[in-house]
């Protein structure tokens, strides 16, 4: 049998780095690919983990906004491992509250990374998932807050159990367009670029889980969205309540759900607990 392999995106620092460490400490039996868009930062992170005793960590470059980069990773995984066992889509970004870029630009840039980048990685890597694979999309509790701020019509669209990936993509595009024309609040969108991208990640996870259940029944694959909590990283700042290691607990729990587990699947999970959506 081929060696098992896990991939964590955006893992040179913050929660992603803590997830790689958490997988290693939880005894993941296989290689853990710490991916980062910047090779030097990724290699430095690997050196730090190896010094802490994590020997099964390997670097691979991945810029989630570059489709070619995802396809190179796919080829590497196919050739070296013959598939993929764990995928943690952690990479993400947020503008600071003090950012001066116009809201429409913030919406486009944030959407490109958090939603489209995550989607492109999934398009490349979900087809090579092995039976019993685990996929964790790092979303946020802000996605729940933000869907509740949408008008009733948008809420109904996002909560429609038959929503397709294509329809979700169109909705994300509509938000960016409305943000650029300054009409987003008038059209019923919440006044948050980050929050709307994370609605996209949570709803995408529900759609992907449904499609996996339909197309690969019996393969035991579990896919969920999660919130790490409010975590002290470059993104959230040092006043946040959790350490990166604490923030990694729920993603690692979902990535390590034992073989044979039937749930959670297609859920938004935080503090290891399924949340109402
Ligand atoms: P950080 O800003 O500390 O780390 C973000 C990571 O994502 C970095 O490694 C960054 O790389 C990487 N990244 C950004 N863009 C890309 C890209 N195009 N390709 C590859 N990697 C990329 O943030 P956190 O660790 O706090 O956040 C991790 C995840 O957790 C995000 O998805 C975030 O939205 C989510 N989250 C965080 C919360 C918090 O309180 N911190 C709360 C809820 C959710 P680089 O160093 O090169 O920029």
């Amino acid at each position: 049998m081929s060696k098992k392999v896990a991939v964590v995106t955006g893992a040179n620092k913050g929660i992603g780095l803590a997830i790689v460490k958490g997988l290693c400490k939880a005894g993941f039996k296989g290689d853990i690919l710490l991916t980062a868009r910047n090779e030097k930062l990724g290699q430095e992170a690997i050196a730090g983990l190896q010094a802490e005793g994590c020997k099964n960590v390997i670097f691979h470059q991945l810029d989630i906004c570059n489709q070619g980069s995802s396809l190179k990773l796919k080829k590497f995984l196919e050739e070296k491992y013959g598939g993929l066992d764990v995928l943690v889509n952690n990479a993400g970004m947020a503008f600071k509250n003090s950012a001066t870029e116009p809201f429409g630009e913030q919406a486009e840039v944030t959407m490109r990374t958090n939603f489209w980048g995550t989607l492109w990685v999934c398009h490349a890597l979900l087809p090579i998932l092995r039976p019993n694979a685990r996929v964790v999309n790092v979303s946020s509790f802000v996605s729940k807050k933000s869907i509740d701020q949408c008008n009733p019509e948008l809420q109904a669209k996002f909560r429609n159990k038959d929503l397709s990936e294509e329809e979700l993509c169109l909705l994300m595009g509509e938000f960016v367009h409305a943000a650029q024309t300054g009409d987003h609040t008038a059209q019923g969108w919440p006044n948050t670029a980050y929050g709307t991208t994370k609605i996209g990640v949570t709803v995408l996870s529900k759609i992907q889980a449904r499609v996996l259940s339909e197309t690969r029944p019996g393969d035991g694959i579990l896919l969920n969205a999660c919130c790490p909590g409010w975590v002290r990283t470059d993104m959230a700042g040092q006043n946040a309540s959790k350490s990166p290691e604490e923030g990694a607990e729920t993603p690692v729990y979902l990535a390590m759900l034992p073989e044979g587990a039937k749930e959670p699947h297609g859920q938004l999970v935080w503090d290891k607990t399924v949340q109402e959506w």
Side-chain angles (χ1 to χ4, degrees):
M1 242 184 64
S2 307
K3 195 174 194 183
K4 280 192 159 201
V5 60
V7 166
V8 183
T9 71
N12 51 291
K13 66 177 184 178
I15 298 165
L17 177 58
I19 292 171
V20 172
K21 191 159 85 177
L23 286 172
C24 174
K25 304 278 178 206
F28 179 78
K29 290 199 178 18
D31 289 342
I32 306 166
L33 264 57
L34 180 155
T35 72
R37 57 182 164 180
N38 180 311
E39 168 143 20
K40 184 169 174 284
L41 296 179
Q43 294 288 12
E44 284 170 6
I46 292 272
L49 288 176
Q50 285 180 340
E52 287 188 55
C54 295
K55 301 294 180 207
N56 55 337
V57 288
I58 293 172
F59 174 73
H60 199 286
Q61 199 273 343
L62 176 64
D63 179 343
I64 69 164
C65 292
N66 178 325
Q67 284 177 293
S69 174
S70 288
L71 293 172
K72 268 191 203 154
L73 174 60
K74 177 189 188 181
K75 189 161 180 280
F76 173 79
L77 289 165
E78 281 178 315
E79 287 174 3
K80 181 153 186 204
Y81 301 95
L84 176 61
D85 300 285
V86 169
L87 171 62
V88 183
N89 283 303
N90 162 81
M93 61 85 60
F95 281 85
K96 300 283 177 212
N97 288 336
S98 57
T100 53
E101 288 85 348
F103 186 74
E105 185 180 332
Q106 293 191 23
E108 193 273 322
V109 172
T110 315
M111 192 64 77
R112 194 188 320 147
T113 301
N114 295 0
F115 181 74
W116 292 106
T118 301
L119 184 71
W120 291 335
V121 173
C122 289
H123 280 180
L125 302 187
L126 294 195
I128 61 166
L129 290 179
R130 266 196 278 260
N132 300 307
R134 306 289 178 244
V135 181
V136 185
N137 293 332
V138 180
S139 184
S140 171
F141 53 88
V142 175
S143 68
K144 167 76 176 128
K145 215 170 115 191
S146 303
I147 195 176
D148 290 342
Q149 289 167 357
C150 289
N151 71 11
E153 194 191 333
L154 281 170
Q155 287 193 32
K157 285 184 183 170
F158 284 127
R159 293 198 169 104
N160 174 4
K161 293 207 174 354
D162 296 321
L163 186 75
S164 68
E165 187 181 294
E166 291 74 14
E167 288 166 329
L168 175 63
C169 291
L170 287 173
L171 284 166
M172 292 293 107
E174 279 172 25
F175 168 72
V176 173
H177 185 260
Q180 287 171 347
T181 55
D183 288 339
H184 61 286
T185 47
Q187 291 180 22
W189 292 96
N191 194 24
T192 157
Y194 178 78
T196 307
T197 68
K198 292 296 190 179
I199 295 177
V201 174
T202 302
V203 175
L204 177 67
S205 307
K206 290 180 177 291
I207 294 169
Q208 289 171 329
R210 188 184 75 218
V211 171
L212 280 169
S213 299
E214 287 164 4
T215 56
R216 299 189 58 179
D219 266 358
I221 298 172
L222 298 176
L223 181 152
N224 291 284
C226 75
C227 176
W230 189 35
V231 184
R232 291 186 292 278
T233 62
D234 289 347
M235 182 184 287
Q238 289 310 304
N239 291 331
S241 51
K242 286 188 179 183
S243 66
E245 287 70 27
E246 289 166 330
E249 280 174 15
T250 293
V252 169
Y253 153 76
L254 291 170
M256 297 286 290
L257 286 168
E259 205 173 309
K262 299 266 182 280
E263 54 188 20
H265 182 51
Q267 303 288 349
L268 174 63
V269 180
W270 77 73
D271 286 342
K272 301 185 188 170
T273 308
V274 170
Q275 304 296 313
E276 207 176 298
W277 177 242

